Amino acid sequence: NAGVTQTPKFQVLKTGQSMTLQCAQDMNHNSMYWYRQDPGMGLRLIYYSASEGTTDKGEVPNGYNVSRLNKREFSLRLESAAPSQTSVYFCASSGTREAFFGQGTRLTVV
Amino acid sequence: QKEVEQNSGPLSVPEGAIASLNCTYSDRGSQSFFWYRQYSGKSPELIMSIYSNGDKEDGRFTAQLNKASQYVSLLIRDSQPSDSATYLCAVKASGTYKYIFGTGTRLKVLA
């Protein structure tokens, strides 16, 4: 019963470094999402993938790229990290109704 | 901009009382509504979903939906200290695959 699995759980980057956050789901869901959560800001959608082969921008896509590798996996890439990208990142997946979340990645950019 | 609004709280209730959490949304065409619970440092956990007007009960939780007033609420009966968390209201936007979240209400249940 893994559900949605994110790696890594914690990461510290220096400004300008790049990294990829990985997400995999085993629920055979079509849709996957990347959110960031900042104090007082709630969950903000970065990118989503309605189905395998498609990706779309959410509310705050600048500075990020995504890849829907296959039905199970959806990765988020920071090409040149900035301190403003310090946040907690959540991956989620959904079928036709509810969305389910991974355990999150706490990213600090110094 | 489609929005979901919640009072940030904290909402403090004594143990055993009913906690009432409220949410309003702006997209009149929304069809799906959700409540998530998030403990500090953890990920959101789905606790209730509701799709039609009226009440839906699951154990100590009752979700209420009024589409005409664009209002969703969550009642927690017999509140326990373990219910202390932030509760997020989410709406699935009409015609899209996107879930829009409110900023959450922090609930504190006092022993």
Side-chain angles (χ1 to χ4, degrees), chain B residues 6-63:
Chain B
Q6 295 181 256
N7 188 317
S8 62
L11 172 66
S12 295
V13 300
E15 183 175 358
I18 295 175
S20 178
L21 306 163
N22 304 314
C23 169
T24 59
Y25 60 94
S26 63
D27 182 4
R28 188 169 285 280
S30 297
Q31 297 295 322
S32 305
F33 307 87
F34 310 92
W35 283 100
Y36 288 81
R37 177 176 62 199
Q38 187 175 26
Y39 293 113
S40 181
K42 301 296 185 181
S43 62
E45 172 193 10
L46 179 72
I47 53 172
M48 290 289 287
S49 57
I50 186 165
Y51 306 101
S52 55
N53 279 331
D55 295 0
K56 179 182 178 182
E57 186 175 320
D58 184 359
R60 295 187 297 112
F61 299 99
T62 299

Side-chain angles (χ1 to χ4, degrees), chain B residues 11 19-23 35 71-76 87 105 107:
Chain B
L11 172 66
S20 178
L21 306 163
N22 304 314
C23 169
W35 283 100
Y71 180 91
V72 192
S73 65
L74 179 70
L75 301 178
I76 306 174
Y87 289 79
T105 298
L107 173 67

Side-chain angles (χ1 to χ4, degrees), chain A residues 3 7 15 17 19 21 24 26 42-43 46 57 64 67 71 76 81 89-90 93:
Chain A
T7 55
T15 297
Q17 286 185 319
M19 81 161 294
L21 280 63
D26 63 4
L43 284 162
I46 305 171
K57 294 179 180 179
Y64 305 96
S67 296
K71 190 171 186 178
L76 178 71
Y89 291 85
F90 289 104
S93 71

